[in-house]
Structure formats: structure tokens, C-alpha cells
Amino acid sequence: MSTILKLIDHIEFKFGQSYDKQNLEMPKWMFEMHYKFTQTDVTPANVLLFILKIVVNRSDVFKPFAILWIRPILQISVLQFGEDKGIHYFLRDICILILKWGVVVKDTAEDRAVATAFMTLLLKNTPHADAQVVRANLTIVRLLVELWKGKFNFPKRHILSMISSDVMHQQLTGLHILSIFVINGFPLYDKEQDQGLSEFKFYETLLNCFNGKKAVYCALSELCGLALQEISKGVDFDM
């Protein structure tokens, strides 16, 4: 890895100024790497992850072409990190990369689906028994929601499954995630996007959180307060 990174640094130093960044024409070495990276059916998983690690470690070199890299990065992240193993260091690095680039996915059906899948992966892995870890995870979620607002669908079913859990840190995390979305203008219940999810069942799930645990009471009260605040601004929550 270190040898390749040094080679990239040398190439960037010698030829970086000649790249046609305005027209998004990647240099030949990067184009070949990108081609391998997008051939997920034939490129071995370890090679995909190795390339992804290179991008993470030299984010400034790849930043001018971020719009070309963002979709395959999200696709491979979902493909390789699909299991519930928490937001581990690699997934965290990818999130930081995206935030550092400040790149917004294109407003197409395919990009929306990929962004939704990545956000779902992130939300499913946000809960943790350690409160400090959860706070760090929620910060990443909040920043990505703010960056991608309107570019992905709200994966509400997964959040409701957290809130329905008997494990308190799962419930708390789900309520905090809902608050993040409400703050960013997402409705608590959306008749169009939440088709197949009963409105009655949705609010019943929230009411069931009143289970005598003070921390859950506080989180749910905050969520209700945010919802009422948004309603006062004219946002329709269908409540």
C-alpha cells in the first residue's frame, strides 16, 4: 500500500497540473483503476477494497473526479459491508471521505437507489451499547442527511424496527435518528413514500416507547417537540 501511495504522490507532483479536471477526464492510471473498481462482477472483493482504501488515503487526488467515484464507492460499500457489524473504522473512513468531498449524488433513479441503500446500511449499523460510539455514529448520520437531503428515500422501516426493539439503546438510537430527519424537513409519516406501512401502526410504535424508561421518555419528548415545531412552520406531518 505505502509503495502505491508514494507512486501516486509522485505522479500527482509531476503531472497533476495537466489533468483535465474541468471536463472530468481522469488520467490514464486513474481511469484504469476506476474501470476495475466498477467491474464488481469480475474484480475480486479484496482488489475492490484495496482500491477503495487507496481512494480513502489519497482523497485530495481523487476529489476533482469525485462525482465519477461516488456511485461505485456507495455500491461497493453496500455490497461488502452489508452485514450488521456496526460502523467500523473502514465504513467510518468512507463516510468521512464523502463528507470531505462534499459530493452530492446525482438526482437520478439509480443514484437515489444507491444512496438510499447506503443510508440504510449506515442506519442499521448506528446502534451501539456504548453511548459515546452512538453519539459519533449519529453525528455522521446527521451530516450525511444534511448533505444528501432530497437525494435519497427515508428508510423508515429499519428505524421503526429499532424503536420496536426491547433493547433500550436500540430504541434510543431509533428515536434520535427520527429527530435528525425531522429537523431536516422529512415528515414523520409520508403517505406517498410510506405506502405499505400503516399510519396507525407507525404512531402506535412511537406511543409504545412510553415504557417507563426516563432516557426513552426524553428522546421521544424531543421528537414530539420537533414535530410540533415543524407543524407550526407549516410542514404537513399528516398527524
Side-chain angles (χ1 to χ4, degrees), residues 105 107-121 123 145 148-159 181 186-187 190 192-194:
V105 293
D107 194 13
T108 65
E110 185 174 356
D111 279 43
R112 175 176 287 271
V114 173
T116 300
F118 183 82
M119 187 61 72
T120 300
L121 167 69
L123 297 182
V145 170
W148 286 352
K149 187 162 46 178
K151 302 296 184 181
F152 67 95
N153 298 328
F154 187 178
K156 199 168 296 176
R157 286 184 177 276
H158 298 286
I159 300 174
F181 278 90
F186 289 83
D190 190 311
E192 292 185 5
Q193 290 200 15
D194 295 331

Side-chain angles (χ1 to χ4, degrees), residues 29-145:
W29 66 268
M30 190 184 294
F31 176 84
E32 293 296 335
M33 189 180 293
H34 183 270
Y35 177 77
K36 280 287 185 183
F37 196 59
T38 56
Q39 302 300 303
T40 54
D41 293 337
V42 295
T43 305
N46 62 325
V47 175
L48 294 172
L49 294 176
F50 187 75
I51 294 173
L52 183 51
K53 195 67 177 176
I54 291 173
V55 176
V56 167
N57 278 283
R58 288 298 179 268
S59 60
D60 290 341
V61 176
F62 290 86
K63 184 177 181 179
F65 311 99
I67 195 65
L68 302 175
W69 283 88
I70 183 65
R71 185 197 292 176
I73 286 175
L74 299 181
Q75 289 173 326
I76 288 166
S77 298
V78 172
L79 182 66
Q80 297 298 323
F81 307 134
E83 298 179 9
D84 297 342
K85 294 184 177 180
I87 300 181
H88 47 73
Y89 79 95
F90 202 169
L91 185 55
R92 188 181 303 274
D93 286 347
I94 293 167
C95 293
I96 292 171
L97 170 73
I98 295 168
L99 293 169
K100 184 178 179 181
W101 280 352
V103 62
V104 179
V105 293
K106 296 178 181 178
D107 194 13
T108 65
E110 185 174 356
D111 279 43
R112 175 176 287 271
V114 173
T116 300
F118 183 82
M119 187 61 72
T120 300
L121 167 69
L122 204 59
L123 297 182
K124 286 168 60 179
N125 285 281
T126 298
H128 196 280
D130 189 320
Q132 189 172 354
V133 173
V134 172
R135 281 194 293 272
N137 292 347
L138 288 172
T139 298
I140 291 175
V141 170
R142 175 179 60 81
L143 292 172
L144 276 176
V145 170

